[in-house]
Amino acid sequence: MRRKLILSFALVVLISIVGMVGIARYTSAGTVREFMFPGGMISSTELVKSLEAYYQEHLSWQGVESLINSQRGNNQGKGWGYGAAQGGGMMRGNNGMMGQRILLADENRNILYDSDSQAVRLLSNDEIAQSIPLHHNNKVIGYLLLQGGMGFTQADERQLVTRLGQAAIFAGVLAGTVALVIALILANRLQKPVRDLTLAAQNLANGDLDQSVQVVGKDEIGLLGRTFNQMAGSLRKDEQMRKALTADIAHELRNPLAVQRANLEALLDGVYPLNNENILPILEQNQLLTRLVDDLRTLALVDAGQLSLQKIPVAMREFCEHLVEIMQPQARKKGIRIVFEDNFRETSEDDFILGDPHRLEQILGNVLSNAIRYTPIDGQVKILIQGDLKDIIIQVHDSGEGIPEDALPYLFDRFYRVDKSRSRDQGGTGLGLSIARQLAQAHGGNLIAENSPEGGAIFTLRLPKMDKNSSTIN
Ligand code: ADP
């Protein structure tokens, strides 16, 4: 990429400089003429040519001074020379020859035209020596004397144009070199973040997730850098979660397996007699393991987006009442009362949702079991149902200790337990709430937890009401 950038820069610089020098060289000759003539510097060669042309046409100098005079001050015409003068531009620039004096004498040295004086006289020998003889048919027909100012021949003009051309080339080469050096620095600076990103992406691909790049600016490269950092960050987080989950699963499996093994070994060694009482703990551990594996399977299905819900219209009042009946024996065993409260504004209010009854039972069953589990003997668990415009809202209040405030944000994390040993002793896997929330979300709803100001925990399940206009069941 660096090479491509530099080559592109170099190409642009080269094209611009060659173009610039070419244009400068092409226009400088014209510009020099345009500047010199209107500005008043006449090429003596051009003047000689024009005067000789005038003589050739008239075969005398008669009228030349009036012609010159008539043209003095006329700097607006185009072109130069006698031919052009007839078009209105002869001697253009004579007027302002940067202080140059023009004298024209005939072949006998009689001054015919003097831009500075009216005196009738002959050109002196000295003046003859300095003057340019004018010729016609190889005969001298007069003398042109340019005094003072800046004489400017065609050779001078060519030299000036050549010098200007050389200066343009020099300036071009200098500007090109400076531009190339700047291009090199720029290419390096532009390429650095891309190089860093490539290196970081390669390391990431090789399994080193501890990668981040320095983000500079808010342009596309900056955005790419930020996105890369986010991606690396979430990969790191996922990896940490995966490792933690694997460790948690191993830990959760080890406990019941160890208990089972100890019990089985004791039975084999004859330490415990083989009877129902000694087999029951093994069965319980087996049930715990089965539940754990089932929960993990459900979570794996949710993660893979493969959890299929057999949705049908479910009347939630009836559903909750039925669930309370199912949970009653478990509650009664602990001396806990379950109260059902129908808080709909009207008895006729629609309470249908579109859901999978098996999964709904799993959600509310888990919340209710927890409520019973964490409510002390003689306590109460209340289940309230109501509706708003969009949702059916089911709340489970218990009269337990509630949830420590610092535990609330993690309550729905996998394997999270406030009191690990207590939960495990009571047969909890630490996956129940995580699964319940995932299932609620799979129904388009949500499950949240908070503490009641009067004490105890409140779990609120929201599920979207069934769209009566929609006949689709998915
Ligand atoms: P577990 O199988 O351990 O109950 P859950 O995911 O169902 O796992 O619950 C996670 C943790 O949330 C529990 O270990 C417990 O500490 C806390 N918890 C859940 N429900 C309640 C509740 N009603 N009152 C107090 N704590 C609760």
Side-chain angles (χ1 to χ4, degrees):
M1 182 183 167
R2 185 160 178 261
R3 222 177 37 181
K4 275 189 191 165
L5 265 177
I6 294 173
L7 278 177
S8 316
F9 276 134
L11 196 69
V12 171
V13 166
L14 198 73
I15 292 171
S16 331
I17 301 263
V18 166
M20 198 185 79
V21 170
I23 291 170
R25 283 178 63 108
Y26 179 74
T27 55
S28 58
T31 311
V32 164
R33 266 179 219 118
E34 264 179 36
F35 175 77
M36 294 300 179
F37 299 158
M41 289 180 74
I42 306 170
S43 158
S44 54
T45 319
E46 293 286 317
L47 187 51
V48 167
K49 268 191 208 161
S50 301
L51 289 171
E52 284 176 348
Y54 180 87
Y55 190 88
Q56 188 173 6
E57 190 175 325
H58 294 88
L59 292 173
S60 89
W61 291 118
Q62 211 165 4
V64 74
E65 65 284 351
S66 59
L67 190 70
I68 297 169
N69 277 337
S70 73
Q71 294 300 321
R72 285 182 74 180
N74 178 13
N75 290 343
Q76 307 306 315
K78 300 261 171 191
W80 166 246
Y82 178 64
Q86 285 174 324
M90 179 183 171
M91 304 294 178
R92 180 169 147 258
N94 288 5
N95 184 30
M97 287 174 65
M98 294 199 170
Q100 212 171 19
R101 181 180 181 186
I102 305 172
L103 290 110
L104 176 67
D106 65 11
E107 70 271 28
N108 299 318
R109 302 183 176 191
N110 293 311
I111 294 175
L112 304 172
Y113 178 88
D114 183 345
S115 58
D116 284 14
S117 158
Q118 298 290 321
V120 179
R121 64 177 181 91
L122 293 178
L123 280 182
S124 67
N125 281 343
D126 274 357
E127 286 172 327
I128 285 290
Q130 291 166 23
S131 64
I132 306 163
L134 304 172
H135 294 92
H136 177 59
N137 289 343
N138 294 326
K139 269 171 62 190
V140 173
I141 48 157
Y143 299 92
L144 174 68
L145 180 60
L146 299 171
Q147 282 182 332
M150 294 164 68
F152 195 64
T153 63
Q154 266 188 330
D156 291 338
E157 182 196 309
R158 262 198 304 276
Q159 206 179 355
L160 182 59
V161 170
T162 310
R163 289 239 177 115
L164 279 175
Q166 283 167 349
I169 291 173
F170 176 72
V173 170
L174 192 72
T177 313
V178 172
L180 267 178
V181 171
I182 294 172
L184 266 170
I185 297 168
L186 270 178
N188 230 16
R189 283 194 61 175
L190 280 176
Q191 205 226 347
K192 189 179 177 303
V194 178
R195 216 174 31 220
D196 291 352
L197 258 170
T198 311
L199 193 71
Q202 277 168 350
N203 290 341
L204 199 76
N206 290 334
D208 181 359
L209 301 183
D210 215 8
Q211 298 295 323
S212 73
V213 290
Q214 201 186 348
V215 179
V216 186
K218 290 181 176 168
D219 57 4
E220 286 83 353
I221 300 279
L223 185 66
L224 189 63
R226 249 189 304 280
T227 313
F228 176 86
N229 287 347
Q230 273 172 10
M231 182 188 76
S234 68
L235 277 176
R236 269 195 301 276
K237 205 170 137 210
D238 283 358
E239 180 62 8
Q240 271 166 10
M241 273 173 61
R242 190 188 62 77
K243 281 184 183 161
L245 194 68
T246 313
D248 282 338
I249 293 172
H251 185 76
E252 294 304 320
L253 289 174
R254 216 173 49 166
N255 251 340
L257 282 172
V259 175
Q260 277 184 351
R261 185 177 164 170
N263 283 322
L264 285 170
E265 278 174 357
L267 287 175
L268 270 178
D269 295 347
V271 180
Y272 293 161
L274 187 64
N275 55 27
N276 282 0
E277 194 189 338
N278 289 327
I279 290 174
L280 202 65
I282 301 173
L283 185 66
E284 276 170 4
Q285 292 303 317
N286 188 278
Q287 281 166 345
L288 181 63
L289 275 176
T290 311
R291 204 160 53 244
L292 187 67
V293 171
D294 281 349
D295 285 354
L296 283 171
R297 189 169 169 272
T298 309
L299 280 174
L301 284 175
V302 172
D303 285 346
Q306 286 174 353
L307 185 83
S308 66
L309 297 175
Q310 310 300 316
K311 286 186 180 175
I312 54 165
V314 183
M316 287 310 285
R317 277 191 187 98
E318 210 182 302
F319 183 83
C320 288
E321 275 177 307
H322 172 66
L323 204 65
V324 169
E325 271 172 39
I326 295 175
M327 301 300 286
Q328 278 301 1
Q330 191 184 332
R332 230 176 271 129
K333 238 200 264 177
K334 232 183 133 182
I336 292 169
R337 267 186 325 131
I338 306 186
V339 181
F340 177 70
E341 217 174 275
D342 181 346
N343 283 349
F344 276 101
R345 283 185 302 274
E346 300 160 35
T347 43
S348 61
E349 196 176 326
D350 208 356
D351 66 340
F352 274 94
I353 67 137
L354 208 52
D356 182 334
H358 168 63
R359 297 300 184 187
L360 291 174
E361 194 177 316
Q362 204 173 345
I363 302 170
L364 281 168
N366 185 277
V367 174
L368 274 170
S369 312
N370 278 347
I372 296 168
R373 190 183 300 162
Y374 297 104
T375 297
I377 296 168
D378 291 336
Q380 173 184 285
V381 172
K382 211 192 284 182
I383 173 162
L384 301 103
I385 184 163
Q386 60 185 311
D388 67 10
L389 229 54
K390 288 189 328 205
D391 298 328
I392 300 288
I393 303 147
I394 300 154
Q395 289 190 306
V396 178
H397 288 212
D398 63 48
S399 57
E401 283 175 17
I403 301 148
E405 286 300 318
D406 57 347
L408 275 173
Y410 311 105
L411 212 64
F412 295 90
D413 288 358
R414 293 172 189 188
F415 292 113
Y416 182 81
R417 294 150 164 147
V418 178
D419 182 343
K420 291 202 185 320
S421 55
R422 187 172 158 216
S423 155
R424 205 175 281 128
D425 290 348
Q426 297 195 12
T429 61
L431 291 174
L433 285 181
S434 171
I435 292 175
R437 176 176 270 183
Q438 298 267 22
L439 292 177
Q441 287 171 348
H443 278 83
N446 203 4
L447 175 66
I448 57 162
E450 62 198 314
N451 283 314
S452 161
E454 294 100 50
I458 306 176
F459 283 82
T460 306
L461 172 68
R462 268 182 181 272
L463 294 166
K465 278 184 174 173
M466 194 173 105
D467 182 2
K468 274 175 261 168
N469 301 321
S470 140
S471 52
T472 28
I473 294 174
N474 45 25

